[in-house]
Amino acid sequence: MEIPVSFKEFDIVEVRFKGGRKEFFRNVNRLPLITGDAVVVDVPNGHHIGHVSLKGELVRLQMNKKKVLNNDEIRTIYRVATEKDLEKFNLAREQEPSTMYRARAIVQELKLKMKLSDVEYQADKTKATFFYSADDRVDFRELIKKLAEEFKVRIEMRQISLRHEAGRLGGIGSCGRELCCSTWLTDFRSVSTTAARYQNLSLNPSKLSGQCGRLKCCLNYELETYMDALKDIPNVNRPLQTQAGDAFLQKTDIFRRIMWFGYRGDSNWFPVTVERVHEVLKMNAAGEMPENLAEEVKKQQQAEVVDFVESLEGNLDRLDDQYSKSKKKRNKKKNKGNNAAATAPEVLAQAAPTPEVRRDRASGRSNGAGEPRPRPERGGGRPNGGNENKPRPEREAQPQGQPKGQQPQGKPRPEREQNRPPRDRDNNNQNRENNQGNRPPRQERQQGQRPPQNRPQPMAEAVGTPAAVAAPTQGDRTPRAEGEQRSRRSRNRNHRNRKPGGNSENSAPSPKTDA
């Protein structure tokens, strides 16, 4: 944005030097300066180099704030600093630490009660300014002579306060940030202990003092806010009179507007609102005494407790509703599953036949009309062969204390027969093939008939078959009568008594048949 032609820029510029020191200089030559530029300015007995910190109309406002007059006493700016000027200035600044250490040694030799904090050389090396702090007046005439002989320059002694000294040195405050006096604070106001009293702070010097050893400047920052808040709070100079006793002021919470009182001989403090304190003061002025200071506060606390209980009960009710809803949903799902499980037996019971139908049919199953199905006759049945269901021989009683499966002592285990022929697998396979050839063919069943089931049927007695006759061999078996079927017990027994030799002609008689 271009500046209007008729507008004339303010010709005074603010320049900053070492240690945050700032002065005003006039830009007579109308140099195009920018904030931060290094410029050579006019100082008494020479020239010095500084940096532009402010320009334009803001400088006018700053001069009005600091009450600096715009007159001929304001010095001028020579030029923008060149590289040679900056090199000389940097060399002068490198000599400052050694000069300060040597000057402190001279001060100790002279036993002067002063503290040298900083040294600043002029850019042309014609002058050196020593900044010191002291509690009383110091006679430094002898010191100036020795310093001039030592450094061969003009010496200037400038006394500064402890706050300015902390600002020049810098540091970190108790708040954890850089010191205000070394960053942005330029004018130092006096700080008194009344500022701490207004803010209800403990009057502890170690906590209220800063790096400089004086009261912290930040105590003045919020003082006006506290003063405004204290306008409506009464000043209680005497204890409040109540029927329970005299109440003494212990503490005041300014922003919450609550005052804490305690009775004599009682370590408990009672919070009282500012409005209640005004009422009690008026009652005491009229010669009346209330029953208790904390009565109204207790009512408020009870109301808060009731509100909290009601809100808590409301939350619990909502939780119960949610739990009951979820429980109802789970019960509905369970009821649906139970109903399905209950209806399944009913359907099966309706489809199942009656006991009369089961009693009439032989196989236990009925056809579609409810009549028993006829059982097909099985041809070529094998006769029982004279094997009757003989009872098994009883085992001898196991004596007590004898482990299970162990032979009793005194009775040797019977040895196996030596004359028993070995088992021949080839003969067994051949006998199976022969038996398959001798077996009569299976009768073809009619369409719609079920195949016969291997269920036990009443056995027909074989006429003329004595019980003592031995079982016929596999080759001599006779066909079984129609409708006859071996019992499961006799079949298992015949299977156990089968001879290992295969055919009866090639095998030796078993010990059971010989017996």
Side-chain angles (χ1 to χ4, degrees):
M1 185 175 180
E2 297 182 359
I3 300 175
V5 179
S6 60
F7 178 76
K8 292 184 179 180
E9 188 178 5
F10 193 59
D11 59 347
I12 298 179
V13 179
E14 186 183 54
V15 180
R16 176 175 52 83
F17 299 97
K18 182 183 177 181
R21 180 173 58 90
K22 296 179 181 179
E23 295 182 7
F24 298 99
F25 295 89
R26 194 182 301 277
N27 187 8
V28 179
N29 300 324
R30 300 289 179 177
L31 299 173
L33 301 177
I34 302 174
T35 303
D37 289 344
V39 293
V40 180
V41 297
D42 181 19
V43 292
N45 302 321
H47 64 273
H48 198 27
I49 294 178
H51 295 81
V52 177
S53 60
L54 202 64
K55 57 176 292 188
E57 294 296 325
L58 295 176
V59 180
R60 191 194 303 272
L61 298 176
Q62 195 73 9
M63 291 176 66
N64 294 334
K65 181 180 178 181
K66 294 183 177 181
K67 298 180 179 180
V68 177
L69 300 177
N70 187 3
N71 51 21
D72 297 337
E73 294 181 0
I74 297 176
R75 298 183 178 274
T76 61
I77 297 175
Y78 289 148
R79 62 184 181 275
V80 178
T82 60
E83 293 182 0
K84 291 183 179 181
D85 297 334
L86 294 176
E87 288 178 0
K88 292 180 180 180
F89 180 64
N90 292 331
L91 292 174
R93 294 190 64 176
E94 290 177 358
Q95 295 180 0
E96 291 176 357
S98 59
T99 303
M100 185 179 63
Y101 295 149
R102 178 56 184 159
R104 286 180 178 177
I106 295 173
V107 169
Q108 291 179 0
E109 292 176 1
L110 297 176
K111 297 180 180 181
L112 298 176
K113 295 180 179 180
M114 57 185 298
K115 179 182 177 181
L116 287 175
S117 58
D118 195 9
V119 178
E120 182 180 358
Y121 267 102
Q122 202 166 283
D124 54 2
K125 277 189 177 182
T126 58
K127 180 181 176 182
T129 304
F130 291 85
F131 298 91
Y132 73 97
S133 59
D135 295 334
D136 299 328
R137 292 181 62 90
V138 179
D139 186 6
F140 45 79
R141 289 178 292 180
E142 188 68 23
L143 177 63
I144 292 175
K145 292 179 181 179
K146 288 191 175 183
L147 292 177
E149 293 177 358
E150 183 76 21
F151 302 112
K152 306 298 181 181
V153 293
R154 294 181 61 253
I155 303 299
E156 179 181 354
M157 303 296 295
R158 184 175 297 181
Q159 185 176 1
I160 58 176
S161 64
L162 295 176
R163 299 182 187 276
H164 285 88
E165 180 183 1
R168 294 184 69 88
L169 297 177
I172 304 298
S174 59
C175 58
R177 301 184 63 179
E178 195 174 353
L179 297 179
C180 300
C181 52
S182 62
T183 53
W184 61 272
L185 191 61
T186 56
D187 52 340
F188 301 99
R189 298 180 181 178
S190 60
V191 183
S192 60
T193 56
T194 55
R197 291 193 181 95
Y198 280 125
Q199 301 177 34
N200 288 333
L201 299 175
S202 61
L203 301 178
N204 189 355
S206 62
K207 293 184 178 180
L208 297 179
S209 59
Q211 297 280 0
C212 56
R214 300 290 186 267
L215 292 175
K216 294 181 180 179
C217 299
C218 55
L219 292 176
N220 290 334
Y221 296 166
E222 300 177 354
L223 181 59
E224 296 179 358
T225 305
Y226 278 92
M227 295 292 290
D228 294 337
L230 286 170
K231 288 181 180 179
D232 298 335
I233 296 177
N235 188 10
V236 181
N237 296 324
R238 292 183 296 179
L240 300 180
Q241 297 178 1
T242 61
Q243 296 180 4
D246 295 341
F248 296 88
L249 179 63
Q250 303 293 338
K251 187 181 68 172
T252 303
D253 195 336
I254 299 174
F255 296 103
R256 293 180 62 187
R257 299 174 61 81
I258 294 177
M259 304 177 71
W260 298 79
F261 287 86
Y263 293 99
R264 182 175 296 172
D266 189 1
S267 60
N268 296 325
W269 293 0
F270 301 95
V272 184
T273 59
V274 174
E275 292 77 9
R276 178 66 175 172
V277 173
H278 282 291
E279 294 178 2
V280 174
L281 288 175
K282 290 180 181 179
M283 294 173 67
N284 291 339
E288 299 177 359
M289 291 188 298
E291 295 181 0
N292 195 352
L293 289 175
E295 182 178 358
E296 183 178 353
V297 177
K298 285 184 178 180
K299 291 181 180 179
Q300 292 181 358
Q301 291 179 353
Q302 291 177 359
E304 292 178 358
V305 170
V306 170
D307 295 340
F308 174 73
V309 172
E310 291 179 354
S311 62
L312 183 60
E313 290 179 354
N315 295 334
L316 295 176
D317 293 339
R318 286 195 294 272
L319 290 175
D320 292 340
D321 295 339
Q322 293 178 1
Y323 177 74
S324 60
K325 289 180 181 178
S326 60
K327 192 173 182 181
K328 288 180 180 178
K329 290 181 181 179
R330 291 196 297 269
N331 293 337
K332 286 182 180 179
K333 292 181 181 179
K334 288 182 180 180
N335 293 334
K336 288 182 181 179
N338 295 335
N339 294 335
T343 53
E346 296 177 1
V347 174
L348 295 176
Q350 293 176 3
T354 60
E356 297 177 358
V357 176
R358 295 197 198 97
R359 203 177 298 119
D360 293 341
R361 67 173 185 259
S363 62
R365 297 185 183 182
S366 62
N367 54 13
E371 298 179 359
R373 296 180 180 178
R375 185 179 183 85
E377 297 180 359
R378 183 175 181 181
R382 287 178 288 184
N384 191 12
N387 290 335
E388 296 179 355
N389 297 334
K390 297 180 181 181
R392 291 186 179 182
E394 297 182 357
R395 294 183 179 180
E396 295 182 0
Q398 186 81 11
Q400 294 182 358
Q402 185 73 13
K404 187 176 180 180
Q406 186 175 356
Q407 293 290 340
Q409 297 179 2
K411 292 184 179 182
R413 181 178 294 181
E415 298 180 356
R416 300 179 67 177
E417 293 183 356
Q418 301 294 333
N419 298 329
R420 186 173 182 180
R423 188 173 182 178
D424 191 359
R425 296 182 179 179
D426 298 336
N427 295 335
N428 292 338
N429 296 335
Q430 186 176 2
N431 293 335
R432 289 197 194 96
E433 293 176 1
N434 296 335
N435 292 336
Q436 290 179 3
N438 297 333
R439 185 177 298 175
R442 182 179 295 178
Q443 184 180 0
E444 297 180 2
R445 67 174 180 222
Q446 299 178 4
Q447 187 175 3
Q449 292 182 354
R450 287 195 62 180
Q453 297 182 357
N454 298 327
R455 292 195 176 185
Q457 299 293 338
M459 299 173 59
E461 297 180 358
V463 181
T465 307
V469 178
T473 59
Q474 293 181 1
D476 298 334
R477 287 179 182 173
T478 58
R480 188 181 297 138
E482 295 180 0
E484 292 183 358
Q485 188 177 3
R486 290 190 305 167
S487 63
R488 187 179 298 274
R489 186 172 182 181
S490 62
R491 279 184 291 164
N492 294 338
R493 184 175 296 173
N494 294 337
H495 181 71
R496 289 197 301 270
N497 297 332
R498 184 177 296 174
K499 298 177 182 179
N503 296 337
S504 60
E505 298 176 357
N506 302 329
S507 62
S510 63
K512 186 173 183 179
T513 54
D514 293 340

